[in-house]
Amino acid sequence: MRLLAPFKPSLASPLTLAWLAAVWIGVLGNWPLWQRMIALPELDNARGHVFVLVFIGIVIALQGALLSLLAWRRLIKPVLVLMLIATAALAHFIGSYGTVIDPTMVVNIVQTDVREARDLLSLRLALSLLLIALPPIVWLWRRPLADAPFGRRLGFNLLGFLGGILLMVALGLSCFADLAATMRNYKSLRYMISPVNAFYSLGAVAARAGAQPKGPPEVIGADARLAPRPAGAKPPLLLLVVGETARAANFSLDGYERPTNAELAKLPVLSFKNVTSCGTSTAASLPCMFSPLGREQYGEQKKPQQNLLDVLQRAGLAVLWLDNQSGCKGVCERVPNSMTTQLPAGAKPLPAGLCDGEECLDEALLHGLDERLAALDPARTTQGVVLVLHQMGSHGPAYYKRSPAARKPFQPECTSNALQQCPREQVVNAYDNTIAYTDHVLAGAVRWLQGQQQRFDASLFYVSDHGESLGENNLYLHGVPYAFAPREQTHVPLILWMSEGAAAGDVVGKGPQAQCMAQRLDQPYSHDHLFHTVLGMAGVQTSVYRPAMDMIAPCRAR
């Protein structure tokens, strides 16, 4: 009869559960890390395989040591559930897209809106949660826990922590040469140790935010003013288009073999071919590219500063930020701003098919621009206007959503947000369709500017915030830490168009200034030049303007 009695699991120690979870997380939950390490050429030998096994032990020891501190009867189960779910989700994203979880990526995650997050959901994510998180969660939740006096439990937990640390040190010393060389040559591996990577990065972001002084941002360009215009000259109208996830490698204007820029190729535009981004994500690049500090200094600033838009507005120009993305990351907080779905008075409704209720195609940015221009402060408009259009662009992984059905010249395209499940050529087709659609939108922007030339000296300045990986080296999307990011994620397109008046009497593509600029298309530029080039194009004089960083200044002087 005892054989028929219901099974009653024995009481388990919280510390035992902590170490069992550490083994599960270390071995199974970190499979993308082990896959990446085994693929390294330096480790493709017997000694390398032994090192990988030792490193697995180091990761288990680290996880076990940290979980030992949390091995309390009422705490351990909720903690382990959180850890297992986080590990399973991270395993999916790291394994599927080759991304790493550093502080910058955590900022991206925090700032992701609902529609962006929805694009990242997939059956593979559900499968990862089902296989990695669900079995141990069900097992441990049904496991009764043994109780112990506080002092005794504290002693056991400290022994578990110290034991884990000693084991980690011993294993590290046993293969120190291989460990040091691997961590030095492949620094991204440290951000693949899940879920420690995510919690460490989250803590780093919180600490950085807490360390910043409170209060308004530091004023820059307090002396900003507009340079006197010659008699009869028109005020400037600059359309500054911030691209999203567009990499220069797929622009035919920059040498790509496919005709992704068929419309712009018919216009007198200048395409700068050697431009690097300030970061590899929108959260990093967008504030940086509008700052006068440049990439090297931006991450070291002690106090938040105002940005380019503040200086333009202070000089007396009318400024408007129009967004078709998830926001301006704080750049447009102090200037007029709007979403594409927020139409001005008098504007016609958005055409059918341009928006689906959750997001709009980028042509929505051009809809109602006349009414938006008319709604700006008239006193400022007479001095000049800067309109910033923030695209949805080529935002992944659902590239197929970023271009309308009538503008998909490259077929067949990947229609899944699980890019690794599509043949690579279909992923590239879907991405190239987004570039071809951006080409169409930019050509439409130029046509709109041409219609404004009776009132303004019009210009278009387009640059993407960062690039994208499309499967090279098994990497997808973007966000790799800048120090070891591939060129596909940092090499971005930059396109310039100027009307006759804006080019100071020289039609771009025909006169001396155009010839001067054409000779500089292969020069190395970066997002660091944006701040000063836009100030020069808008005719703003200020002490923070550096002519040496103005891309057009050498040719404007001629």
Side-chain angles (χ1 to χ4, degrees), residues 343-422:
L343 296 175
K348 296 180 180 179
L350 288 166
L354 209 54
C355 301
D356 64 2
E358 296 180 354
E359 66 178 68
C360 296
L361 294 166
D362 279 334
E363 282 180 277
L365 290 166
L366 306 180
H367 183 77
L369 279 183
D370 290 330
E371 290 78 10
R372 293 188 190 278
L373 194 60
L376 296 175
D377 184 347
R380 289 181 173 273
T381 302
T382 59
Q383 300 298 315
V385 180
V386 177
L387 300 179
V388 185
L389 309 184
H390 187 199
Q391 285 187 289
M392 177 59 78
S394 304
H395 196 289
Y399 302 128
Y400 67 98
K401 292 183 178 180
R402 313 299 174 225
S403 59
R407 297 198 172 275
K408 293 181 181 291
F410 307 108
Q411 294 292 338
E413 69 171 2
C414 177
T415 57
S416 170
N417 56 358
L419 300 179
Q420 64 283 357
Q421 294 183 349
C422 291

Side-chain angles (χ1 to χ4, degrees), residues 442-461:
L442 293 179
V446 170
R447 288 191 291 270
W448 179 79
L449 288 170
Q450 290 172 332
Q452 305 297 321
Q453 292 184 88
Q454 290 186 347
R455 296 175 56 198
F456 298 100
D457 289 338
S459 306
L460 178 136
F461 189 106

